[in-house]
Amino acid sequence: MLKDKSAVCAQSHFELSHIANFLELRDTISLRREFKMDEMEEELKCPVCGSFFREPIILPCSHNICLACARNILVQTPDAESPQSSRASGSGVSDYDYLDLDKMSLYSEADSGYGSYGGFVSSPTTPCQKSPNGVRVFPPAVPQPPSQHHLLGHPSSLPPIPRNSCLTCPQCHRSLILDERGLRGFAKNRVLEGVVDRYQQSKTAALKCQLCEKSPKEATVMCEQCDVFYCDPCRLRCHPPRGPLAKHRLVPPAQGRVSRRTSPRKISTCTEHELENLSMYCVQCKMPVCYQCLEEGKHGTHEVKALGAMWKLHKGQLSQALNILSDRATEAKEFLVQLRNMVQHIQENGVEFEACLVAQCDALIDALNRRKAQLLTRVNNEHEHKLKVVRDQISHCTVKLRQTTGLMEYCLEVIKENDPSGFLQISDALIRRVHMTEGQWGKGTLTPRMTSDFDLTLDSGPLLQTIHQLDFIQMKVPSAPMLQLEECCTINNSATLSWKQPPLSTIAVDGYILELDDGNGGQFREVYVGTETICTVDGLHYNSTYMSRVKAFNASGVGQYSKTLAMQTSEIAWFTFDPASAHPDIILSNDNLTVTCNSYDDRVVMGNSGFSRGVHYWEITVDRYDNHPDPAFGVARGDVLKDVMLGKDDKAWAMYVDNNRSWFMHNNSHTNRTDGGVSEEATVGVLLDFTRGVLIFLINDEQQGPVAFEGIEGIYYPAVSLNRNVQVTLHTGLPIPDFYTPGEADLSGSVC
């Protein structure tokens, strides 16, 4: 396919730009990371044999495998189970043409290993084995003794591939059936083979300086322009970093040897047409093709580009992807450092916490031992008391028993006497003594004064229960909450804030405290305390910036504040009439923007937003005006009377108007009668300026009288009073009238 001259020039410009990008990215990556070839060793090993690739071929799934290993894991299938539409090879095959083969259920092992198909040609099925990489493989169906050519690595000496052979990728487990070309239909991965060769060469011996005269030292750098390896002394002497040599690129020796031993580019041949060289690249099939493929094959109608241009383009794309991957690798290294530091901190904190736990348990044991000693003292005291009482009783009874026994012996001897007169002289006295002694042994004398049991029972149940319930409580206060900015917003004069605990935080939280300032840079104040993680604060000032923050608390205390978030309320007030605070006779409609009354008496209705700062303007249009009523318009406090005309009490500042003139009224005082009234479709404007503290009224875009009221301070709500002969509609969110500049109110006007 030929291209015109402009297309060729554009293509050349495209190639040059990508070459420049590639060189720039290559230099950037070389400067940012150290050349470590050891880390890519696993990329250079076959997933089947676990050794370095030898004659690797590229499967349609983009994985690589040694040619000999591919023969080892071939499985032969019956002719009936080999649909021609499912045959695949290394050329002209889509990456997913082999997916249909999965439906054939060639492999049904439950452990995802490789099982043999029922029609396997060889005699009994040979059990599968595992490669060093853990991949299950099958030995050859019929073991072939290795020939000398095979040992020397000549693929031509390999036995022929049986028909209907099936090959399964050992990495992604995708299966495909080989065509008549067998393994020759797969392209050889010469790039991978060259990388393996250079890697093995780089591991053989250390590089020596080429300029040392006697005993060469180990080289430290290699100049890509000079193609010379230098040690540090020779580099400083023979290759100083000045003059023309300052622009030379010095690389580590290992990288220099790799680039130095890069084999010259080999000319690739087409797998479909072995005598044709690959010269173009099919964009649709994403594979190199030859001229004959374009003339005869299925690539004739596909978009093709020059092989060299696509080679340089893909190199640039790979370099860009590698640059991004290098950033991720740097982030991963930093993350690993963070994790290793965390391991050290965990170990240190674990040792500290164990020491604290042992100290606390030892303190409990010491307290228990002290209490044990106190209780033992009480037991010993009780023991001594019981012994003393019993011993005293024993001593007392022993003396009395001795006296009784002596009296008894004496009386027996007296009875033995034969002298009646002598006996009678002492018998009465002896009888009295015997009765007296017997009375001394009366009730209670022979009863123990003390029991042998100890009336002490140790109440250890609560303590044992407490010990069993002994557990860890939160030793730390909660972390600072994180404000969820995507859920925080302001609507009109309301602010909604949402927050959450930091990720991976395991500290219990009992509640949160939300704080806002006054919208003018003042002190923070608490506006919410509770367990919820979202809160809406109403009634804020319009056109104000509020600073908000939140903190968490638990039983251990209050944590740190979150980051401070600035919340800007609406510059212009949007509000409606408030049905909750309106008089029961008030009738609202049109989303609470239109109001009338079902009574002939004046009734008051207020807006649902209060103002205390800024400049605000709203209008009220008269929709219906019958029998010349006197509606009143103005502002009021929240506790204004609702069953009288607006301005009758000291809680409202209003202008009431008929069809000819108007008056200002506050606390039932009428002032400033002004000509000009209202009618149907008339518009009444109310201008409330807190910067000057004034209230001004307008009728049909013209100021009605002078400034109505001054010294306006505090919180005021828009208000209207009317009866059933009037219906009005509220309009909010309006800009300040052009005639008025805040701070320059017209204070002139007549007074009646």
Side-chain angles (χ1 to χ4, degrees):
M1 300 180 68
L2 299 178
K3 300 181 179 179
D4 55 18
K5 184 176 182 181
S6 59
V8 173
C9 294
Q11 181 72 19
S12 301
H13 177 73
F14 180 77
E15 295 176 7
L16 291 175
S17 63
H18 277 284
I19 292 174
N21 293 336
F22 166 72
L23 293 176
E24 180 180 357
L25 288 170
R26 183 196 65 178
D27 295 339
T28 303
I29 296 174
S30 299
L31 291 174
R32 291 183 56 185
R33 65 185 184 89
E34 183 180 357
F35 188 84
K36 297 181 179 180
M37 297 190 65
D38 293 340
E39 298 180 357
M40 71 171 180
E41 184 169 316
E42 291 302 321
E43 296 286 336
L44 309 180
K45 291 184 178 180
C46 175
V48 176
C49 63
S51 301
F52 288 107
F53 282 106
R54 294 188 60 188
E55 299 182 288
I57 59 176
I58 306 175
L59 301 180
C61 56
S62 300
H63 293 129
N64 299 280
I65 188 174
C66 295
L67 181 61
C69 294
R71 298 185 63 88
N72 288 339
I73 64 175
L74 284 177
V75 176
Q76 187 174 2
T77 60
D79 293 341
E81 301 293 337
S82 304
Q84 294 299 323
S85 59
S86 299
R87 295 184 179 272
S89 66
S91 62
V93 180
S94 173
D95 290 347
Y96 301 98
D97 286 346
Y98 50 78
L99 292 180
D100 292 337
L101 289 174
D102 292 344
K103 302 178 182 178
M104 298 173 61
S105 302
L106 296 178
Y107 311 106
S108 58
E109 296 292 331
D111 59 354
S112 299
Y114 294 95
S116 61
Y117 188 77
F120 195 51
V121 174
S122 64
S123 52
T125 303
T126 306
C128 61
Q129 302 174 351
K130 281 191 175 182
S131 73
N133 288 358
V135 178
R136 295 173 182 246
V137 298
F138 280 100
V142 179
Q144 299 289 339
S147 63
Q148 184 177 4
H149 289 288
H150 187 200
L151 295 177
L152 294 177
H154 293 281
S156 60
S157 62
L158 294 174
I161 301 297
R163 293 186 58 194
N164 302 327
S165 295
C166 178
L167 178 65
T168 300
C169 175
Q171 290 184 281
C172 64
H173 297 193
R174 300 297 183 182
S175 304
L176 66 154
I177 297 177
L178 276 63
D179 58 13
E180 61 278 359
R181 294 175 300 167
L183 296 177
R184 292 184 295 104
F186 298 111
K188 295 182 179 180
N189 195 339
R190 292 185 306 278
V191 175
L192 177 59
E193 190 174 9
V195 173
V196 171
D197 181 60
R198 294 195 300 271
Y199 177 77
Q200 290 178 325
Q201 291 179 5
S202 66
K203 305 290 287 186
T204 55
L207 294 170
K208 300 296 183 179
C209 176
Q210 295 177 286
L211 297 182
C212 292
E213 296 180 355
K214 295 183 179 180
S215 57
K217 299 180 181 179
E218 185 174 349
T220 57
V221 295
M222 181 256 189
C223 177
E224 289 188 337
Q225 284 72 26
C226 301
D227 195 19
V228 176
F229 291 94
Y230 298 94
C231 63
D232 286 337
C234 293
R235 177 179 59 83
L236 295 176
R237 183 178 68 256
C238 304
H239 200 289
R242 59 179 180 270
L245 299 179
K247 298 182 180 179
H248 286 196
R249 186 169 182 265
L250 302 179
V251 297
Q255 182 180 353
R257 175 158 55 184
V258 169
S259 60
R260 189 178 188 183
R261 294 182 178 179
T262 300
S263 57
R265 188 190 306 179
K266 299 178 181 179
I267 299 177
S268 305
T269 57
C270 179
T271 56
E272 295 281 348
H273 314 92
E274 298 182 356
L275 299 180
E276 297 290 338
N277 296 332
L278 296 174
S279 58
M280 303 296 291
Y281 182 84
C282 179
V283 177
Q284 181 174 345
C285 299
K286 297 182 178 180
M287 60 180 299
V289 294
C290 67
Y291 176 77
Q292 193 170 350
C293 289
L294 302 180
E295 293 292 334
E296 303 173 359
K298 66 177 183 179
H299 306 280
T301 59
H302 295 176
E303 179 186 2
V304 295
K305 293 186 177 181
L307 189 66
M310 295 304 297
W311 171 50
K312 296 170 184 177
L313 173 62
H314 283 205
K315 275 195 173 184
Q317 294 175 351
L318 179 59
S319 298
Q320 293 178 359
L322 186 60
N323 196 10
I324 299 175
L325 183 61
S326 177
D327 294 337
R328 297 295 177 268
T330 302
E331 295 175 1
K333 291 179 181 179
E334 295 174 354
F335 180 66
L336 287 175
V337 172
Q338 179 182 354
L339 292 180
R340 293 190 182 99
N341 294 336
M342 186 180 295
V343 170
Q344 182 179 357
H345 293 160
I346 291 175
Q347 292 176 345
E348 295 174 354
N349 294 337
V351 172
E352 181 181 356
F353 192 79
E354 288 179 3
C356 180
L357 177 62
V358 171
Q360 289 178 320
C361 292
D362 290 343
L364 294 176
I365 295 174
D366 292 342
L368 185 60
N369 287 331
R370 289 194 297 270
R371 188 58 180 169
K372 173 185 174 182
Q374 295 174 358
L375 295 177
L376 287 176
T377 300
R378 288 184 57 186
V379 172
N380 291 333
N381 293 339
E382 184 70 14
H383 174 261
E384 295 297 332
H385 174 67
K386 286 180 176 291
L387 289 179
K388 183 178 181 302
V389 172
V390 173
R391 285 170 180 169
D392 290 345
Q393 190 174 13
I394 291 174
S395 177
H396 178 69
C397 289
T398 300
V399 172
K400 289 187 64 177
L401 181 60
R402 186 182 300 114
Q403 293 175 353
T404 301
T405 304
L407 178 60
M408 291 173 59
E409 293 293 335
Y410 175 67
C411 290
L412 290 176
E413 292 298 327
V414 170
I415 292 174
K416 293 178 181 180
E417 291 294 331
N418 295 324
D419 185 3
S421 58
F423 177 79
L424 292 174
Q425 289 179 342
I426 62 173
S427 61
D428 290 336
L430 288 176
I431 291 172
R432 287 194 299 271
R433 286 185 62 191
V434 169
H435 285 297
M436 185 181 298
T437 302
E438 189 272 335
Q440 292 178 354
W441 292 100
K443 185 177 181 180
T445 304
L446 299 179
T447 301
R449 299 177 183 174
M450 185 65 65
T451 63
S452 60
D453 296 331
F454 284 80
D455 297 331
L456 297 175
T457 301
L458 183 62
D459 187 13
S460 61
L463 179 59
L464 288 176
Q465 183 178 2
T466 303
I467 293 176
H468 292 156
Q469 294 177 350
L470 186 63
D471 202 350
F472 298 103
I473 63 172
Q474 296 299 333
M475 303 294 293
K476 296 181 180 180
V477 298
S479 304
M482 298 175 57
L483 291 172
Q484 302 191 81
L485 301 181
E486 64 278 5
E487 298 184 14
C488 297
C489 63
T490 57
I491 300 177
N492 213 7
N493 65 333
S494 299
T496 299
L497 293 102
S498 177
W499 58 88
K500 64 179 180 179
Q501 280 298 104
L504 305 179
S505 177
T506 58
I507 303 176
V509 175
D510 295 338
Y512 301 92
I513 300 175
L514 175 62
E515 296 182 356
L516 267 70
D517 68 354
D518 60 356
N520 197 26
Q523 296 292 327
F524 281 89
R525 66 187 188 280
E526 294 182 2
V527 296
Y528 171 77
V529 178
T531 59
E532 299 295 332
T533 57
I534 186 171
C535 178
T536 299
V537 184
D538 299 320
L540 301 177
H541 299 299
Y542 287 91
N543 195 20
S544 300
T545 301
Y546 285 87
M547 308 304 293
S548 58
R549 63 188 184 184
V550 64
K551 59 183 177 181
F553 63 87
N554 58 14
S556 300
V558 180
Q560 297 292 324
Y561 285 106
S562 66
K563 293 183 178 180
T564 302
L565 177 64
M567 307 284 288
Q568 175 69 41
T569 56
S570 176
E571 296 183 2
I572 300 177
W574 298 85
F575 59 92
T576 64
F577 290 118
D578 184 16
S581 62
H583 191 277
D585 294 337
I586 290 294
I587 301 175
L588 294 169
S589 60
N590 188 23
D591 294 332
N592 297 330
L593 292 175
T594 300
V595 60
T596 185
C597 181
N598 59 11
S599 173
Y600 285 106
D601 297 323
D602 290 310
R603 300 295 185 241
V604 174
V605 60
M606 297 192 302
N608 60 0
S609 293
F611 306 131
S612 61
R613 185 184 302 159
V615 182
H616 307 279
Y617 178 72
W618 63 94
E619 291 181 349
I620 301 170
T621 58
V622 180
D623 302 330
R624 180 169 52 82
Y625 187 80
D626 302 329
N627 301 324
H628 309 297
D630 298 327
F633 311 92
V635 296
R637 301 287 193 185
D639 55 349
V640 65
L641 295 177
K642 307 292 176 48
D643 55 356
V644 296
M645 179 184 288
L646 193 67
K648 287 287 187 179
D649 61 358
D650 60 348
K651 301 296 192 305
W653 293 257
M655 176 189 73
Y656 72 93
V657 58
D658 59 15
N659 60 326
N660 292 320
R661 52 192 177 274
S662 65
W663 293 264
F664 301 148
M665 183 168 62
H666 168 66
N667 199 16
N668 204 23
S669 175
H670 306 255
T671 60
N672 295 92
R673 186 182 68 182
T674 306
D675 292 335
V678 296
S679 61
E680 193 169 305
E681 297 184 358
T683 301
V684 177
V686 182
L687 178 61
L688 180 61
D689 184 0
F690 284 98
T691 60
R692 290 186 59 88
V694 297
L695 181 63
I696 300 174
F697 295 98
L698 295 85
I699 295 180
N700 295 328
D701 299 327
E702 297 291 337
Q703 182 174 339
Q704 185 72 1
V707 171
F709 302 101
E710 299 181 57
I712 300 295
E713 293 180 353
I715 299 178
Y716 297 87
Y717 293 85
V720 173
S721 68
L722 43 72
N723 61 15
R724 64 183 304 166
N725 293 320
V726 183
Q727 176 176 303
V728 298
T729 298
L730 176 66
H731 304 275
T732 63
L734 303 177
I736 306 300
D738 295 336
F739 79 91
Y740 183 79
T741 301
E744 298 180 1
D746 183 9
L747 301 180
S748 62
S750 59
V751 178
C752 296

